[in-house]
Amino acid sequence: MSAYILRRLLLLIPTLFGIMVLNFVIVQAAPGGPVERVIAQLRGHDMAATGRFAGTEQGDFQSQQAVMSQDSRSRGAQGIDPALIAELERMYGFDQPPAQRFVQMMGNYLRFDFGQSFYQDRSVMDLILEKLPVSISLGLWTTLLVYAVSIPLGIRKAVRDGSTFDVATSVVVIVGYAIPGFLFAILLIVLFAGGSFLDLFPLRGLTSDHWADLNWPLRILDYFWHLALPVTAMVIGGFAGLTMLTKNSFLEEINKQYVLTARSKGLTERRVLYGHVFRNAMLIVVAGFPGAFIGILFTSALLIEVIFSLDGLGLLGFEAAINRDYPVMFGALYIFTLLGLLMNLVGDVMYTVIDPRIDFESRDR
């Protein structure tokens, strides 16, 4: 297994490099940029973090982008001093060819040196480390709760396939899946966070302002008190697919010959399910764990972070993309990609933990 893990770690290098190259090319081809943004500000235009220019209507956003792009191509003719443009390009690192900038960027990234944010006057690593606890909290607890609900429910549905319980829970699962997480979040706010009904939960932040003054038991309670509504909103729509996957996996294994043999030997139903079926049926469920965690951690939480004013990595990456803050964009992308690749490797290792019969080393020979 150690040789397989080493090969997978070595494979991370070209995979990560290829993803960074692809995204670098896409960003270079996209209109606008930090230099053009500064020039637009000098001309009286400004792009807010929401993706609009100040003083314009939302419907005019695309036309304003086109104007800014045209301005950047004809800025010399519009009275902008070429020396100022050259200084801006040097300040943002655009005075070098793209290939040279990419090589220099990847060399720094190997040392986890992501540079400085263009607009927040802070190092990208400090920003990522500051936002990481929020995203980790949302992703970790949501994933654990989704699996804690989905696996027992899926097993129960498989055992009672076609029963009233199976049909009723399927309706609940489908309804939960159909409701967007952000819409359910708004409903929770209305009901429990000072909307039209109760005022039981906070709306901002991961902890209270006086969190540092509390003792540790109260700190833990305060932490989960702030997480209750956002995690609930994310869990509601997240357990449907995993529940049905668990059910179908168990149904497929229950009908196999080895299960009939185990039952004929007089084993209890619980021993058959958790001693024989579970190990085989859970392989495909375990395979989806890394992807589920990464998906929840970096994508599903974006709107939840906005609604509940949780300043995490999702919101940081979104605002960086809107503002063309390239160091933050590529730094966050590098971290996201590296974590995703490592989590896929963790998934393979978990295969062998659940079923020792799987041997990746002998398969690759």
Side-chain angles (χ1 to χ4, degrees):
M1 189 63 184
S2 58
Y4 172 78
I5 293 176
L6 179 60
R7 287 196 297 270
R8 285 291 301 271
L9 289 175
L10 293 176
L11 186 61
L12 291 182
I13 298 174
T15 305
L16 182 60
F17 181 81
I19 293 174
M20 295 300 295
V21 168
L22 179 61
N23 284 274
F24 185 84
V25 171
I26 293 174
V27 169
Q28 296 303 309
V35 175
E36 287 75 14
R37 188 170 185 263
V38 173
I39 293 174
Q41 290 174 341
L42 294 176
R43 291 201 172 100
H45 303 291
D46 190 17
M47 181 181 286
T50 57
R52 300 187 195 175
F53 285 100
T56 63
E57 297 296 330
Q58 184 175 7
D60 295 334
F61 173 53
Q62 292 182 345
S63 61
Q64 290 285 3
Q65 273 192 318
V67 170
M68 187 179 73
S69 181
Q70 292 174 0
D71 282 348
S72 66
R73 291 192 296 267
S74 60
R75 53 196 174 214
Q78 296 293 327
I80 300 295
D81 187 356
L84 174 60
I85 297 173
E87 177 61 22
L88 289 173
E89 291 178 342
R90 185 199 63 77
M91 181 176 65
Y92 288 114
F94 291 98
D95 57 333
Q96 301 174 353
Q100 183 177 347
R101 284 190 281 119
F102 178 78
V103 171
Q104 182 178 0
M105 180 185 74
M106 291 305 298
N108 293 332
Y109 281 14
L110 291 177
R111 304 189 304 271
F112 287 90
D113 178 11
F114 303 120
Q116 296 285 124
S117 169
F118 284 162
Y119 305 114
Q120 302 193 45
D121 195 27
R122 296 180 59 189
S123 73
V124 175
M125 179 58 76
D126 288 344
L127 287 172
I128 291 176
L129 292 177
E130 179 183 315
K131 315 298 183 184
L132 193 59
V134 175
S135 296
I136 290 290
S137 296
L138 288 175
L140 178 62
W141 293 116
T142 300
T143 305
L144 291 177
L145 284 176
V146 165
Y147 270 73
V149 171
S150 300
I151 292 176
L153 181 59
I155 295 174
R156 188 66 174 171
K157 286 172 64 64
V159 172
R160 303 182 61 179
D161 182 41
S163 66
T164 303
F165 172 82
D166 181 38
V167 175
T169 53
S170 294
V171 172
V172 174
V173 166
I174 292 173
V175 171
Y177 183 74
I179 299 177
F182 72 90
L183 186 60
F184 196 80
I186 295 173
L187 176 62
L188 291 176
I189 291 174
V190 172
L191 294 178
F192 303 111
S196 302
F197 297 91
L198 303 176
D199 188 6
L200 301 178
F201 296 94
L203 273 178
R204 297 183 60 86
L206 198 61
T207 57
S208 300
D209 294 336
H210 61 286
W211 184 82
D213 299 328
L214 302 175
N215 56 38
W216 274 108
L218 291 179
R219 287 184 182 183
I220 295 173
L221 288 176
D222 182 79
Y223 169 75
F224 284 108
W225 182 45
H226 282 76
L227 276 178
L229 293 188
V231 169
T232 300
M234 295 174 65
V235 166
I236 290 298
F239 70 90
L242 185 59
T243 299
M244 301 309 296
L245 178 63
T246 303
K247 175 190 173 181
N248 294 332
S249 298
F250 268 78
L251 281 177
E252 181 180 356
E253 294 296 325
I254 286 174
N255 295 322
K256 289 185 176 180
Q257 183 63 41
Y258 74 90
V259 177
L260 299 176
T261 303
R263 286 172 175 166
S264 67
K265 291 181 179 180
L267 297 180
T268 63
E269 191 67 19
R270 183 179 182 84
R271 179 69 182 276
V272 171
L273 283 176
Y274 294 99
H276 295 75
V277 176
F278 184 84
R279 184 173 61 182
N280 296 321
M282 287 303 295
L283 287 175
I284 191 172
V285 177
V286 171
F289 179 86
F293 177 74
I294 293 298
I296 291 172
L297 183 61
F298 298 128
T299 58
S300 301
L302 173 58
L303 289 176
I304 300 299
E305 288 180 9
V306 174
I307 293 172
F308 289 98
S309 299
L310 298 171
D311 196 7
L313 286 177
L315 186 59
L316 176 68
F318 173 75
E319 292 181 346
I322 293 297
N323 291 323
R324 300 297 195 270
D325 196 345
Y326 291 161
V328 176
M329 286 174 59
F330 286 113
L333 174 66
Y334 186 85
I335 294 295
F336 294 171
T337 305
L338 183 60
L339 284 177
L341 294 173
L342 289 175
M343 288 300 294
N344 285 329
L345 176 58
V346 170
D348 286 347
V349 174
M350 291 178 66
Y351 270 130
T352 62
V353 173
I354 293 179
D355 191 349
R357 296 172 299 176
I358 296 178
D359 187 357
F360 288 107
E361 292 186 8
S362 61
R363 184 194 65 179
D364 291 339
R365 289 172 185 169

